[in-house]
Amino acid sequence: MSKKRIVVLTGAGVSAESGIKTFRDSGGLWEEYDIMEVATPEAWERNRDLVIDFYNQRRKQLYEVEPNDAHYALVELEKDYDVHIITQNVDDLHERAGSSHVMHLHGELKKVRSSVDENLVYDLEGWELKPGDTCELGSQLRPHIVWFGEPVHMIPAAADLSNTADIFVIIGTSLNVYPAASLVSYVRPGVPVYLIDPGEVNAAHIQGVRVIREKAGSGTRRLVEELRK
Ligand code: OAD
């Protein structure tokens, strides 16, 4: 018998217990930095060095942190289910924990790309991208991140995947950023939806959602135990 499919949408909260800051919580990254100054194409045009440095700091930190219980619990789920993760995160903690299917909606920190041809994507060695590092066409390399105002190319594939879910799980996202937050609307009627988050996420529009109001580590472990019963 083929395994049931679980599609999991994750956000910054799944990596919080690894020591990576979320964006919109108190003390989050968007309190410290202005989105418009570091995460938009305009910021890149205006102040390239600041943008490069912002993502260098994020990338550097990535080499200092480890996956947490939530990432590992999702790997464990693969014993019984066909698990597909759609993440808004640009870290690689799902992959490092061992998840087999991970789709990044908003790019990946450890990759960089050409600033004139977005199809030229490269793995960056080490954490530091430098002003003056160029692609094969001679243009400055930029972080491989989907900035505010840029199209999210992975959305059609993520929507198709959400539509095939037998169970849909949302972990650690404020559901504030579209189009990622709209993926749940592609879930077929009657499919169980779980939401794991210690904060107050507006989930009123999600029919029949079961909210597990816990941190990702303990909440995901609880969910895995329930689903394995
Ligand atoms: P947010 O910072 O908006 O939301 C983080 C969510 O994680 C909140 O709902 C918190 O309650 C929850 N949270 C905090 N600690 C947690 C824990 N230990 N366990 C589980 N949940 C926890 O982050 P995202 O929703 O991921 O995009 O943000 C979406 C996008 O906005 C990001 O991908 C990023 C950002 O700007 C770009 O930069 C393009």
Side-chain angles (χ1 to χ4, degrees):
M1 212 177 70
S2 66
K3 290 175 175 174
K4 278 190 174 178
R5 174 167 290 179
I6 299 188
V7 178
V8 188
L9 173 67
T10 64
V14 81
S15 298
E17 287 159 272
S18 293
I20 297 181
K21 281 186 179 178
T22 61
F23 296 96
R24 295 175 184 79
D25 288 307
S26 108
L29 273 178
W30 294 153
E31 239 173 51
E32 200 178 330
Y33 296 90
D34 181 345
I35 292 185
M36 300 308 291
E37 296 298 324
V38 293
T40 61
E42 294 75 22
W44 178 251
E45 291 309 321
R46 257 196 326 262
N47 199 345
R48 226 164 247 210
D49 290 2
L50 179 70
V51 175
I52 287 178
D53 183 61
F54 174 74
Y55 287 100
N56 278 349
Q57 295 314 317
R58 313 272 78 74
R59 202 178 297 107
K60 188 176 182 194
Q61 186 191 25
L62 198 44
Y63 285 93
E64 294 156 7
V65 300
E66 299 290 338
N68 65 54
D69 274 356
H71 299 105
Y72 289 118
L74 291 174
V75 179
E76 215 176 292
L77 211 49
E78 292 189 16
K79 285 187 198 146
D80 302 300
Y81 293 93
D82 175 29
V83 181
H84 291 254
I85 296 172
I86 302 171
T87 188
Q88 297 167 82
N89 299 344
V90 294
D91 67 50
D92 61 350
L93 295 179
H94 285 302
E95 287 92 339
R96 274 160 59 190
S99 279
S100 308
H101 307 287
V102 184
M103 182 189 286
H104 287 270
L105 288 179
H106 295 160
E108 291 173 72
L109 261 183
K110 286 188 175 171
K111 292 184 178 170
V112 290
R113 71 171 187 249
S114 163
S115 46
V116 292
D117 180 352
E118 63 183 335
N119 296 311
L120 296 177
V121 178
Y122 309 87
D123 291 324
L124 183 69
E125 284 200 15
W127 61 269
E128 195 176 14
L129 176 64
K130 297 194 189 78
D133 287 347
T134 53
C135 73
E136 62 211 63
L137 301 176
S139 79
Q140 172 69 45
L141 286 168
R142 57 163 273 181
H144 182 49
I145 302 287
V146 179
W147 286 323
F148 287 91
E150 293 186 320
V152 186
H153 295 307
M154 296 310 290
I155 278 294
D160 286 350
L161 190 56
S162 302
N163 192 248
T164 65
D166 298 307
I167 297 172
F168 195 79
V169 181
I170 302 167
I171 309 174
T173 170
S174 62
L175 295 177
N176 263 311
V177 172
Y178 285 81
S182 67
L183 285 174
V184 68
S185 66
Y186 293 91
V187 175
R188 291 167 297 159
V191 166
V193 179
Y194 296 85
L195 185 147
I196 302 168
D197 199 298
E200 254 184 65
V201 177
N202 184 3
H205 60 294
I206 308 174
Q207 269 211 337
V209 64
R210 153 105 198 276
V211 178
I212 300 176
R213 204 156 170 185
E214 285 183 44
K215 288 186 176 180
S218 62
T220 309
R221 184 128 322 270
R222 181 188 303 285
L223 176 69
V224 170
E225 277 160 22
E226 264 185 41
L227 292 176
R228 294 187 76 182
K229 266 186 205 150

